[in-house]
Amino acid sequence: MNQGFAVGLLALLCLLPEAPALAASRAMWTWEAESYAMVEDPAVADEAIAYLKSQKVDTVYLYADAYRGRNLIVEQPQLYRAFIEKLHGKRMKVYALLGSAYLNTENYVLPDYREQAEAMFRRVVEYNASVPATARFDGANLDIEPHILDEWNDSTRLRLLHGFLDMSAAVMRIKREHGATLAVGPAIPFWLDGIELEWNGRTRPVSEHTINIYDYVALMDYRDKAEGSDSILSHAASEIAYANEVGKKVVIGLEVSSNDIDKVTFHEEGPKVFEQEVRKVERALRNEPSFDGFAIHHYRAWRRWAAQYWE
């Protein structure tokens, strides 16, 4: 290529407008009743998919365990297969949401409940192995939170967090043993980076142990502003930096449910402020290798919240 032509071409390219960055992925936690309704009723499924796409959601954290005496992923797996295939047909991803207030799964960090925790995850892995690729879960999200146990306090938290890490290691061992490829990660509070714990001979923040174990973490980064002190970005900084180092992913979790503590949710601020703050976070993190979009808590709350501002 002629050197003068190359220099001219480079100068021209520099004058072209920068291509807009692709919007970050948005996942939404979808709990028991809503997930079962979508899985069981094609009309509910179609309406939900259309709604989620209109809200720029491309990933559904779909509950996939027992509820009110039934366990559809075991008893009627064809229902999950049909719904997941439908979501994939709309270019959406599906993660199995595991963890439930109904089942009190916070207990799963306790040794006496380890067998139940492993069985919960193994059912998803076995489901994936039994269906074609078009019907498989793309990932799993574990919402097992030891800090909501009644026995959680300053004197018990290290033991309970140790149990959480042991449970996590057991889950990932099942993934490896089955040769499963789905991305697996937990929902964790941002403040785990402030608790150091010795586990498997290494002392480090619990957040780092957790990132080391899993493929990704969904960071429950529940604040209603992007920047400054006590903000989404400030609380995600250490997890993003560490995940960059070790080649893992971080999804930023945001809350829209009502809460007595205003700063943990966008409930009072509304969708316009939510979108403004999300864009700030996206601009700040878009070049970070570990940043993997957002997860919003949760489907029913979002619909009620958003509807208030449309009326």
Side-chain angles (χ1 to χ4, degrees):
M1 181 184 292
N2 178 275
Q3 186 175 4
F5 176 77
V7 172
L9 178 60
L10 180 60
L12 178 62
L13 290 173
C14 289
L15 293 174
L16 293 175
E18 183 181 354
L22 293 174
S25 173
R26 291 192 186 187
M28 190 168 284
W29 279 284
T30 306
W31 289 109
E32 299 95 334
E34 291 75 30
S35 291
Y36 266 42
M38 293 176 194
V39 166
E40 292 189 281
D41 189 332
V44 173
D46 290 341
E47 193 276 337
I49 291 170
Y51 180 82
L52 289 165
K53 288 188 72 69
S54 77
Q55 303 299 298
K56 298 182 280 189
V57 173
D58 56 43
T59 302
V60 180
Y61 291 173
L62 181 73
Y63 183 72
D65 203 355
Y67 181 54
R68 292 188 174 176
R70 298 187 297 157
N71 197 333
L72 293 182
I73 199 166
V74 175
E75 298 158 6
Q76 294 180 275
Q78 72 277 8
L79 297 178
Y80 274 91
R81 175 174 174 170
F83 184 50
I84 292 171
E85 287 179 334
K86 186 174 290 190
L87 285 162
H88 284 158
K90 298 294 185 179
R91 299 182 179 180
M92 299 177 74
K93 291 183 179 180
V94 194
Y95 281 38
L97 176 54
L98 302 173
S100 168
Y102 169 75
L103 296 175
N104 297 119
T105 52
E106 62 273 14
N107 288 312
Y108 287 6
V109 305
L110 303 173
D112 288 348
Y113 290 82
R114 183 65 40 74
E115 187 174 329
Q116 289 172 243
E118 293 183 18
M120 169 191 69
F121 181 69
R122 189 175 286 108
R123 286 190 290 269
V124 170
V125 171
E126 291 175 348
Y127 163 85
N128 262 16
S130 72
V131 297
T134 53
R136 290 176 193 153
F137 288 103
D138 302 287
N141 183 257
L142 279 69
D143 193 351
I144 311 294
E145 303 180 30
H147 54 275
I148 65 175
L149 284 163
D150 289 340
E151 64 183 285
W152 174 278
N153 57 48
D154 288 345
S155 64
T156 62
R157 66 179 187 173
L158 293 183
R159 172 175 58 83
L160 296 174
L161 287 168
H162 201 287
F164 169 76
L165 296 174
D166 287 344
M167 180 209 72
S168 299
V171 163
M172 295 304 280
R173 189 159 52 247
I174 291 168
K175 175 185 170 177
R176 290 192 298 273
E177 288 171 353
H178 285 77
T181 58
L182 75 173
V184 183
I188 61 169
F190 66 76
W191 43 260
L192 288 185
D193 58 12
I195 302 175
E196 290 215 339
L197 173 65
E198 187 278 325
W199 185 72
N200 282 0
R202 299 291 299 273
T203 299
R204 59 172 70 249
V206 177
S207 57
E208 294 185 8
H209 283 305
T210 307
I211 289 168
N212 287 341
I213 293 169
Y214 286 103
D215 302 311
Y216 76 97
V217 296
L219 190 68
M220 294 185 286
D221 199 0
Y222 294 165
R223 288 295 182 265
D224 61 4
K225 64 177 183 176
E227 300 167 325
S229 62
D230 197 19
S231 67
I232 296 165
L233 287 169
S234 69
H235 290 308
S238 64
E239 288 82 2
I240 289 288
Y242 186 73
N244 283 345
E245 288 181 26
V246 297
K248 300 296 182 72
K249 296 294 184 181
V250 177
V251 177
I252 303 295
L254 302 174
E255 179 68 90
V256 300
S257 302
S258 61
N259 194 295
D260 291 338
I261 305 172
D262 179 58
K263 70 178 181 179
V264 306
T265 176
F266 284 95
H267 186 77
E268 298 297 330
E269 286 75 15
K272 184 176 180 180
V273 172
F274 175 89
E275 294 296 340
Q276 290 171 349
E277 299 306 297
V278 163
R279 283 194 294 273
K280 292 176 187 176
V281 174
E282 199 168 334
R283 283 195 297 269
L285 298 181
R286 64 186 176 189
N287 294 322
E288 302 290 349
S290 64
F291 174 57
D292 202 27
F294 301 94
I296 301 163
H297 190 256
H298 54 92
Y299 177 73
R300 182 177 70 249
W302 175 280
R303 294 203 66 153
R304 291 176 176 172
W305 174 71
Q308 295 174 9
Y309 294 87
W310 292 342
E311 291 173 353

